[in-house]
Amino acid sequence: MAKLRLDQLNGALRKRLAPVYLISGDEPLLVQEACDLIRAAARQNGFTERELHHAEPNFDWDQLLTSANSLSLFAERKILEVRIDNGKPGDKGGKALTSFCERPPEDTLLLVIMPKLDGSSQRSKWFKAVEKVADFVQIWPIAAPQLPRWIDQRIQQAGMSASRDAIEMLAARIEGNLLAAAQEIEKLKLIAIDGQISAEMIAGAVADSARFDVFSLIDKALHGDARAAVRTLQGLKGEGTDATVILWALAREIRTLIQISHAMQQGQAFDRAAKSAGVWDKRKPLVQAATRRLKLTQLQMLLRKANGIDKAIKGLRNADAWDELMDLTLNLSGTFSLSPSVQKLTLAIT
């Protein structure tokens, strides 16, 4: 079996078709595009029929082998596509995949799509049987530092060019959602003048969502602007934004600050610690200001507070989640009211 990166797949398909392809990854857009490449190459080689199976818990794996060994009434060759959403084929699925790979039918191409496979799965008997005949494409997520480059490449593939500010603005707006980025680039193709994309064009054309407003709340808190942060929080509440979404964003930022602060205590420079934590260059001043304002012990108390809010949202504590989100936002902004004793008493009472 050949182990391929996504950028190697197209070249490999031009040379030959493997009898089996295993696509593994957690990034929907990239997984979909890998599958599209395989299907297109297969169609060019006469695999004109496609049969899709979703291997859910009660899936009958005998269907797979029966279909593989049966002649099609409509095409000489077919693609047999199996989606295993939980990444675990189980004993029956493992045996079926092993059986198929021992004697792959010449008129059938098997395409198996799964989430990211862990080490134990790649040591399993079924995987070892598959890897003897399959091309394995493992899709890795695009890390935050690589996202601007990925966006730039997509824009160039669409026949356009963008300024650095425009690319960074789009990266900030889509917050790692590659599917959203691809959709926004398609929209920009309709309005770009001479294929040029500017930051002003991004600001006017790319839709802001409540999700972006949540991150706007975070930035205002990091900046230490408690009044603006509270106003944004109240606006999100009035718009019906789920408290869980806001808590997730606040807790994520607090964890990032804890990671950076801990690294700095160990002697790392801020820039290196921020890069390791996946902080965008344009957000570094905000994050650095927050690490100067908030001590590591204070951040750890804020994270405990966030855990308590999570319990309140789930009904496990008798407390108003929105009031506590307000308190958490104020404290992150620098209006600090928590101390170890107060925090312990609050969680004990409620």
Side-chain angles (χ1 to χ4, degrees):
M1 175 180 72
K3 291 186 177 181
L4 304 172
R5 300 190 309 271
L6 179 56
D7 60 356
Q8 297 173 319
L9 178 59
N10 200 27
L13 289 167
R14 290 176 181 174
K15 294 178 181 178
R16 65 167 181 86
L17 272 183
V20 180
Y21 286 90
L22 175 58
I23 309 297
S24 166
D26 295 327
E27 179 48 63
L29 175 67
L30 301 184
V31 169
Q32 182 64 38
E33 291 182 343
C35 293
D36 287 344
L37 287 173
I38 293 168
R39 295 188 197 107
R43 283 194 298 270
Q44 291 176 358
N45 284 270
F47 291 83
T48 55
E49 183 180 346
R50 176 182 171 223
E51 189 175 305
L52 175 62
H53 297 273
H54 290 275
E56 297 174 345
N58 295 324
F59 177 66
D60 183 3
W61 282 94
D62 289 337
Q63 293 181 21
L64 180 70
L65 298 179
T66 300
S67 180
N69 294 317
S70 63
L71 295 175
S72 172
L73 297 175
F74 306 101
E76 294 182 357
R77 292 180 166 186
K78 65 182 174 184
I79 303 170
L80 196 57
E81 189 170 318
V82 183
R83 294 179 175 268
I84 309 175
D85 292 339
N86 65 2
K88 304 292 183 181
D91 292 339
K92 292 183 178 179
K95 290 178 181 178
L97 292 172
T98 299
S99 178
F100 182 98
C101 292
E102 286 174 348
R103 293 180 297 277
E106 292 184 2
D107 61 351
T108 302
L109 182 148
L110 178 62
L111 173 57
V112 182
I113 305 162
M114 313 176 75
K116 179 183 175 182
L117 292 175
D118 56 25
S120 62
S121 295
Q122 295 190 40
R123 292 189 295 271
S124 64
K125 184 178 179 180
W126 70 264
F127 183 86
K128 291 180 179 179
V130 170
E131 72 176 345
K132 292 179 181 179
V133 298
D135 277 1
F136 176 37
V137 184
Q138 191 159 10
I139 307 294
W140 298 101
I142 305 297
Q146 284 76 50
L147 185 56
R149 180 183 176 187
W150 181 88
I151 290 175
D152 189 25
Q153 290 174 341
R154 298 287 296 207
I155 289 174
Q156 290 182 36
Q157 289 170 8
M160 301 182 293
S161 62
S163 67
R164 182 175 179 179
D165 287 345
I167 291 169
E168 291 188 358
M169 181 178 291
L170 181 55
R173 294 265 178 125
I174 59 99
E175 282 290 336
N177 186 334
L178 302 190
L179 182 58
Q183 291 171 340
E184 297 298 346
I185 291 170
E186 287 300 310
K187 293 178 186 177
L188 290 167
K189 286 172 65 175
L190 302 175
I191 62 173
I193 300 175
D194 296 327
Q196 300 295 315
I197 301 173
S198 64
E200 291 76 15
M201 187 180 296
I202 295 286
V206 178
D208 285 343
S209 64
R211 185 169 182 238
F212 182 69
D213 289 336
V214 170
F215 285 94
S216 174
L217 161 67
I218 300 299
D219 286 351
K220 290 170 183 174
L222 292 180
H223 187 63
D225 191 343
R227 179 172 296 183
V230 167
R231 187 165 57 247
T232 301
L233 179 64
Q234 291 172 334
L236 289 167
K237 181 181 179 182
E239 291 173 359
T241 306
D242 191 338
T244 304
V245 175
I246 299 172
L247 176 62
W248 170 82
L250 287 166
R252 190 187 76 156
E253 199 66 32
I254 292 168
R255 291 189 187 96
T256 297
L257 292 172
I258 289 174
Q259 178 183 339
I260 294 171
S261 295
H262 181 73
M264 291 174 65
Q265 279 195 357
Q266 300 301 311
Q268 278 192 27
F270 170 79
D271 283 344
R272 182 179 177 185
K275 183 177 181 180
S276 297
V279 176
W280 304 107
D281 286 343
K282 283 201 168 185
R283 298 190 72 248
K284 282 182 179 179
L286 283 174
V287 173
Q288 188 170 33
T291 57
R292 288 171 177 168
R293 186 174 64 249
L294 300 168
K295 297 179 181 178
L296 180 58
T297 53
Q298 293 174 320
L299 290 167
Q300 289 168 338
M301 280 189 286
L302 290 182
L303 188 58
R304 288 196 292 272
K305 176 74 171 179
N307 291 334
I309 297 172
D310 181 58
K311 292 179 181 178
I313 292 173
K314 294 175 180 177
L316 301 178
R317 289 179 58 233
N318 183 22
D320 187 301
W322 283 100
D323 285 348
E324 298 209 347
L325 281 171
M326 182 75 71
D327 193 29
L328 186 63
T329 300
L330 285 169
N331 280 278
L332 185 59
S333 302
T335 306
F336 210 82
S337 62
L338 294 177
S339 66
S341 58
V342 171
Q343 174 74 347
K344 183 176 180 180
L345 178 62
T346 300
L347 294 178
I349 294 174
T350 55

